[in-house]
Amino acid sequence: MADKDRIPKRGNWLGLLYQGDEDAFADFVDEYQGMVFLCCKTLGLNETEAHDVASETFLAAYQNISKFQAKSKLSTWLWKIAYHKAVDYIRKNNREQSLADEPDEQLADKKIAQVAAELENKEHSQIVWDAVRSLPGDWALAIMLFYRENKTITEISKIMKKRKGTVKTYLFRGRKRLKKLLEKYIESHWRQ
Amino acid sequence: MVSSNYYNKDEFDEMLAKSLKRHSEPVRTNFTNMVINHIEEERKRELLRKIVLQERFALGLSIALAIFLLSGIIFFGKEIAQVMLSSFNSLRDIPVKTLTSYSPDWQLIIAAIAAIGSVIFAFSDTLNLRQRVIRQLFR
């Protein structure tokens, strides 16, 4: 959905944000908090961690809103802040290994079997979401941005500050892993 | 066996997109208020940081000026006393005479005025800043 459709219908909303208007900023937080939480959760943060990172993200957005030049969508700009805040948090806690690395094949197969077993008896969207969350963070985020947020490869590469080729690799590998992960479920449920 | 159609890229992608779009993350109630409070706290912290920096600067300036005045008295005591005395004497005379007596030592006079002015500014600034901190914190 276009940004202008998502923002509250208030006169010169972005202008008010630039001026540091607190009410406008509260509307902004209301509108985008779900998206920021989603970014944090996709990267593997738990509830408390996601809350802290989301709070830091909005603080950074408030402090830097004057630098936003509307060259990209407001949501893309916020995704970028949220992603980098979350990555900083993960790095500080020495968990960067899980972000982009190709997991060991045997371990990955074990994990697939484990996750596939856990997916039984869950709601469809929850099953797919859990499967996505089991991917390395960067792969999962690329999948989310591409399939859920309809971001282009160029936008994703800007958000994640990665080359387009890298983003395409994340998408390809992520999709391949998801297919394997969801194979059993799809076989028994989705096609019925 | 899963239908080979299933591996058709479009179908899988469509399923993935639909499922992910249906998913949303629950957010904590009052999160917006918490963020606004966090921003307010951060703003106060930033203000305090600036004030502390200004106070340190004012204190440093006061100390530097005190040292400057003290060394002036130690090394140029006689000259300053002479200037002050002659100035005092000349002040009793008509303003024209006073101005004439000041003119040869104008650099010293300007330095002294600047030093005294800076000390006064530093102290008044320090006092005003304290009041500002109190106002900001307890408004």
Side-chain angles (χ1 to χ4, degrees), chain A residues 30-46:
Chain A
D30 277 341
E31 187 63 31
Y32 289 105
Q33 54 182 298
M35 189 198 89
V36 173
F37 269 90
L38 188 69
C39 175
C40 297
K41 292 284 187 71
T42 307
L43 289 167
L45 301 183
N46 66 30

Side-chain angles (χ1 to χ4, degrees), chain B residues 69-82:
Chain B
L69 287 174
L70 207 65
S71 49
I73 290 164
I74 291 167
F75 297 110
F76 307 103
K78 278 182 185 172
E79 287 86 345
I80 292 169
Q82 266 180 353

Side-chain angles (χ1 to χ4, degrees), chain A residues 148-163:
Chain A
R148 188 182 190 276
E149 301 292 317
N150 294 331
K151 299 282 181 201
T152 62
I153 303 281
T154 310
E155 283 175 317
I156 299 171
S157 75
K158 277 181 187 164
I159 288 168
M160 298 175 81
K161 281 192 188 161
K162 309 268 185 204
R163 279 180 290 185

Side-chain angles (χ1 to χ4, degrees), chain A residues 30 41 148 175 186 191, chain B residues 6 11 13 23 25 32:
Chain A
D30 277 341
K41 292 284 187 71
R148 188 182 190 276
R175 190 176 175 279
I186 291 158
R191 299 288 294 172
Chain B
Y6 186 71
E11 197 176 342
D13 288 1
H23 179 80
E25 271 305 304
T32 304

Side-chain angles (χ1 to χ4, degrees), chain A residues 13 16 22 30 36 72 82-83 113 127 130-131 146 153 179 185:
Chain A
W13 187 67
L16 290 169
E22 270 192 14
D30 277 341
V36 173
S72 61
Y83 171 72
I127 287 167
D130 285 351
F146 189 77
I153 303 281
K179 257 187 178 178
Y185 169 76

